[in-house]
Amino acid sequence: MADKSSKPHDPFFDLLAGTTAETGEKFFHNFVKHLAQTYHAQFALVTELLEDTPGTARTLAFHAHGNNMKNFEYKLQDTPCECVYENGLLYLKSGLQEQFPDDHDLVEMGVHSYLGMPLYAKDGSKIGHICVLGINPVAESASAIDYLHIFASRAGAELERIKVERQLLNQREKLAQMVDEQTVELRISKELAEAANRAKTDFLARMSHELKTPLHAITGFSQLMKEETAGRLNPVYKEYVDSTLSASYHLKSIIDELLDFSVLEIGKLKTNIKPHTIKPLIDDSIRMVTNKAREKGISIHYDEQSDNAAQIMVDDARLREIMINLLTNGIKYNHENGSITINVQATENSYCISITDTGTGISKVEQAKVFNEFERLNADQDCIEGTGIGLAITKRLVEHMQGTIGLESQLGRGSTFWVEFPAVKP
Ligand code: ADP
């Protein structure tokens, strides 16, 4: 086997070895260094043609007297490089300065010999060039020119790769800028929407509060009339007073709902969460809706088998509100003479209270919307009174007390709404 070290030194092999593993700036720096060595030239450079400034090239690497120099831009006019860009291969063994008398750099560099070749893109267009310049002739043999073709094609491929990389980078930057701009726009829209929402909530809170004051007077004086404190009323007026009273109670419940809603919206709900026995809270809630249920012939069953001593962590007033909301819906959306069943069940760390009615039921699609604010499903068409915020408030109240709420329902067969709260450990 031949001994490798005995092989004669091959500058072309050096050039290949020095550039194969490199890309980008490093590639071109090594490339011009080896090029200058190979061709015994004092100068070697590789350039790219600038697309946006015609007639101008920029060096990708410039080697002078054994050193890598700073890159620069230059006008091609009247230079040997212009000839390369226009006509292809240019080899001048000597007489370079005489051939290009207007290129004063050649005099400054003191060079007389030139070998240059264009760099081509895949589509055949000229995108750059390489050249070596020397005091003495830079290429002694014909094979030196043949080799230059090989190196020019490698340098051309690298330049094309860099251009694609630049384009990608450019597009990525543009995209990032677009994303940034849209993020700002979105943030502004979000802030505007939030400000509008806050204004709406403030308005609701103020209006509800203002409405309550005259309503108190209406309810109070109607109550006094009903009690006939200032003298007996004839039966017709008595009926009018009853209607006025029930309408004002109804109005009060709507205003209370709106107030609750605005308080929850601005996150100012105050609760006093502590252990409470479930049974008295449910009994209280049933008592509050008994009249309404009776008007519609609806019976309410509280499963007495339930765990009567069970305690949960809640605010008692808020739990009553939740129960009254769910029971009222169980009455409103029930058939005449239907029924409601309340059941309490222990789960691992909590208690689940369920309210099952024999009413209209809710389809699977509509179940997803039922807790949305101001969502009434078909209740408006059916002329059932309501605002559509009862369940939205209920859900927020439940979650405020670390509970969960859900429902199971079948259209035409009734619904079960359930709420679950943390149990008090015995
Ligand atoms: P409201 O009763 O004031 O309309 P809610 O937020 O309490 O508002 O309920 C939203 C909607 O969900 C109701 O309008 C009704 O269509 C439906 N819904 C609520 N509870 C029941 C129920 N138990 N059975 C059938 N539909 C119900």
Side-chain angles (χ1 to χ4, degrees):
M1 220 180 177
D3 179 7
K4 264 188 183 174
S5 60
S6 66
K7 266 188 160 182
H9 177 67
D10 183 348
F12 294 107
F13 176 80
D14 282 355
L15 197 152
L16 274 176
T19 55
T20 323
E22 305 294 354
T23 55
E25 202 177 317
K26 242 182 170 174
F27 167 87
F28 287 117
H29 278 169
N30 282 342
F31 185 79
V32 288
K33 184 175 103 190
H34 286 287
L35 213 57
Q37 278 169 11
T38 306
Y39 289 91
H40 305 292
Q42 281 70 37
F43 300 92
L45 58 147
V46 53
T47 70
E48 106 176 90
L49 196 60
L50 296 182
E51 281 164 21
D52 21 0
T53 15
T56 312
R58 186 196 305 126
T59 59
L60 293 160
F62 175 46
H63 192 83
H65 295 290
N67 298 309
N68 261 320
M69 311 301 282
K70 248 177 96 179
N71 285 322
F72 58 91
E73 279 180 26
Y74 66 103
K75 290 264 171 240
L76 290 168
Q77 199 181 0
D78 300 328
T79 68
C81 305
E82 184 186 31
C83 268
V84 174
Y85 271 111
E86 278 177 5
N87 310 320
L89 175 75
L90 173 71
Y91 178 47
L92 284 173
K93 208 168 175 182
S94 59
L96 182 65
Q97 295 180 11
E98 293 73 23
Q99 189 113 358
F100 297 95
D102 294 327
D103 187 348
H104 304 297
D105 289 339
L106 299 176
V107 180
E108 218 170 278
M109 290 157 85
V111 287
H112 302 285
S113 175
Y114 182 101
L115 173 61
M117 194 174 278
L119 304 182
Y120 293 98
K122 266 202 204 83
D123 63 4
S125 60
K126 292 180 190 126
I127 52 174
H129 97 297
I130 55 173
C131 67
V132 284
L133 302 98
I135 298 165
N136 303 311
V138 285
E140 308 282 13
S141 61
S143 64
I145 295 176
D146 291 341
Y147 276 124
L148 198 68
H149 280 290
I150 300 169
F151 298 128
S153 88
R154 171 71 186 95
E158 181 59 17
L159 178 54
E160 203 169 22
R161 191 193 65 76
I162 287 177
K163 279 169 163 280
V164 170
E165 196 176 74
R166 265 190 226 143
Q167 266 173 8
L168 279 175
L169 215 75
N170 229 341
Q171 275 169 0
R172 202 185 304 158
E173 271 168 19
K174 269 191 199 146
L175 263 176
Q177 199 185 338
M178 270 166 67
V179 170
D180 279 354
E181 281 168 10
Q182 280 182 357
T183 311
V184 171
E185 272 174 32
L186 273 176
R187 188 171 48 75
I188 293 172
S189 317
K190 185 169 168 272
E191 280 169 8
L192 285 174
E194 279 171 356
N197 201 33
R198 266 199 307 278
K200 176 203 77 186
T201 310
D202 283 352
F203 173 75
L204 268 182
R206 226 169 306 125
M207 278 305 288
S208 314
H209 201 74
E210 292 301 316
L211 285 171
K212 265 189 135 176
T213 317
L215 190 60
H216 276 313
I218 296 171
T219 319
F221 285 118
S222 306
Q223 191 64 46
L224 285 175
M225 280 168 79
K226 187 181 159 84
E227 286 163 16
E228 298 178 322
T229 44
R232 291 186 69 80
L233 290 179
N234 73 39
V236 178
Y237 282 152
K238 245 182 151 174
E239 227 175 84
Y240 290 171
V241 168
D242 281 344
S243 299
T244 311
L245 255 181
S246 85
S248 52
Y249 286 140
H250 179 58
L251 192 55
K252 182 177 175 297
S253 72
I254 293 175
I255 293 171
D256 283 343
E257 260 189 355
L258 287 176
L259 257 176
D260 265 354
F261 175 73
S262 43
V263 167
L264 281 163
E265 273 279 290
I266 48 180
K268 284 199 177 156
L269 181 76
K270 287 196 186 86
T271 46
N272 181 12
I273 299 172
K274 52 185 192 188
H276 283 286
T277 310
I278 302 174
K279 187 172 166 15
L281 290 177
I282 294 182
D283 286 340
D284 275 359
S285 314
I286 295 175
R287 213 168 301 123
M288 304 288 281
V289 297
T290 303
N291 274 348
K292 256 194 201 120
R294 202 174 291 142
E295 280 168 21
K296 212 167 164 180
I298 287 169
S299 52
I300 302 179
H301 309 278
Y302 176 19
D303 185 358
E304 292 294 334
Q305 299 303 313
S306 303
D307 187 349
N308 290 347
Q311 282 199 321
I312 45 175
M313 290 299 289
V314 286
D315 175 310
D316 53 344
R318 294 301 177 184
L319 185 79
R320 263 188 230 107
E321 200 177 327
I322 291 166
M323 288 301 296
I324 291 168
N325 250 332
L326 297 177
L327 286 170
T328 308
N329 279 352
I331 298 167
K332 275 202 301 188
Y333 302 104
N334 214 326
H335 306 294
E336 297 270 332
N337 305 317
S339 70
I340 294 174
T341 307
I342 303 169
N343 187 278
V344 179
Q345 258 188 339
T347 61
E348 201 176 337
N349 291 313
S350 54
Y351 280 101
C352 182
I353 308 170
S354 60
I355 296 117
T356 303
D357 64 55
T358 53
T360 51
I362 305 165
S363 72
K364 267 261 167 305
V365 180
E366 299 202 309
Q367 283 174 33
K369 301 190 270 181
V370 92
F371 294 107
N372 292 351
E373 289 152 14
F374 306 106
E375 177 58 70
R376 298 224 65 217
L377 307 182
N378 301 317
D380 278 333
Q381 277 151 260
D382 299 339
C383 297
I384 300 173
E385 278 175 353
T387 53
I389 51 170
L391 283 178
I393 292 172
T394 304
K395 186 171 191 293
R396 288 198 201 183
L397 288 176
V398 170
E399 286 168 358
H400 192 84
M401 296 192 288
Q402 321 304 324
T404 43
I405 185 166
L407 81 149
E408 279 152 31
S409 186
Q410 243 185 310
L411 198 59
R413 316 251 342 227
S415 313
T416 297
F417 279 82
W418 54 262
V419 287
E420 196 168 334
F421 291 101
V424 177
K425 301 214 171 75

